[in-house]
Amino acid sequence: MQADLFGGTPAELVLAPQAKLLKGLALPYVPRLLAALEQIQHTAPFRHMVTPGGQAMSVALTNCGALGWTSDRHGYRYSALDPDTRQPWPPLPEVLLQLAQEAATRAGFANFVPDACLVNRYRPGARLSLHQDKDERDYSAPIVSVSLGIPATFVLGGLDRVGKTLRVPLAHGDVVVWGGADRLRYHGVLPVAQAEHPLLGAQRINLTLRKAG
Ligand code: MD3
Ligand code: FE
């Protein structure tokens, strides 16, 4: 799918005052992103982490960058080491830094320097229940999210668990930037429907770039 037929600025949808969906912004980066993902998986394979409640997540994950998000029976935290290998996470690829900075700048957050990239893999049926992202040290930095592969429906709520939610379809190449007060909104992903993507097959990959440390 083409972001914009006329070579102009990609469509920018305002989801909330400081949350912007940049349709197709990642499309020109896809070949380099897929090559980077291959490298990351080689060092740090996808795995299903366990939540503090003792349940295995339906989403499989890995990380790159100085810090990686992890979960186990004891809680959620950012760690410099992959708990499975006790080795550092693979470095943040240049292409991800470039894309994150282009997206953040377009959304009004100049000078974004992420130090963590969580890579989520959704097979059909995988979902992410409504939650807030509260494990980072500094809420003033934005979060940049990149979607690849089969589509998903993103659910955006408010600052508390109850209340109205907005459903947002996310497609291959879409980028969302969250900052300011909207960074602490509840959000989740509905169970992903069975589908095939020409490049990624039956999976959705979501990369979330953050300043965690
Ligand atoms: C809205 N991932 O890893 S990314 C997560 O598609 C996570 O894998 C989802 O939520 C995914 O924590 C959604 C989009 C996202 C990320 C952070 C947010 C949306 C957000 C923070 C505040 C509000
Ligand atoms: Fe989240």
Side-chain angles (χ1 to χ4, degrees):
M1 210 226 282
Q2 195 75 358
D4 65 288
L5 293 167
F6 309 107
T9 312
E12 182 180 303
L13 285 91
V14 178
L15 304 180
Q18 296 190 84
K20 295 208 170 92
L21 167 52
L22 306 163
K23 288 297 287 182
L25 184 73
L27 290 175
Y29 294 85
V30 164
R32 284 183 293 153
L33 288 174
L34 296 184
L37 279 168
E38 286 299 320
Q39 285 298 312
I40 293 163
Q41 290 180 62
H42 183 73
T43 317
F46 284 106
R47 79 292 303 266
H48 292 272
M49 288 191 176
V50 172
T51 63
Q55 302 281 103
M57 295 176 67
S58 62
V59 176
L61 67 83
T62 185
N63 291 278
C64 59
L67 293 170
W69 186 88
T70 66
S71 178
D72 61 21
R73 283 129 290 229
H74 301 111
Y76 310 121
R77 79 190 69 80
Y78 280 92
S79 166
L81 302 182
D82 179 337
D84 283 4
T85 62
R86 299 189 202 88
Q87 296 299 307
W89 298 104
L92 193 75
E94 184 62 29
V95 58
L96 271 177
L97 189 62
Q98 276 179 25
L99 174 54
Q101 290 181 335
E102 179 181 3
T105 302
R106 282 184 188 270
F109 299 94
N111 309 309
F112 176 47
V113 184
D115 58 11
C117 179
L118 169 60
V119 187
N120 288 328
R121 186 192 68 197
Y122 297 75
R123 293 253 161 86
R127 61 191 284 272
L128 198 60
S129 55
L130 211 62
H131 67 278
Q132 286 175 298
D133 289 11
K134 292 194 299 189
D135 303 320
E136 298 75 25
R137 188 187 293 273
D138 176 8
Y139 297 158
S140 72
I143 295 178
V144 173
S145 150
V146 180
S147 292
L148 298 173
I150 64 177
T153 303
F154 179 73
V155 181
L156 180 61
L159 297 179
D160 56 56
R161 192 177 285 282
V162 294
K164 283 206 293 187
T165 58
L166 181 71
R167 290 178 178 205
V168 184
L170 291 179
H172 178 69
D174 288 354
V175 179
V176 191
V177 182
W178 314 86
D182 294 321
R183 202 201 156 298
L184 285 170
R185 282 179 183 266
Y186 276 88
H187 58 278
V189 178
L190 295 186
V192 168
Q194 181 77 61
E196 281 285 324
H197 186 273
L199 296 176
L200 284 138
Q203 58 177 345
R204 169 179 187 257
I205 303 281
N206 181 270
L207 303 126
T208 358
L209 293 122
R210 307 149 193 266
K211 182 164 164 36

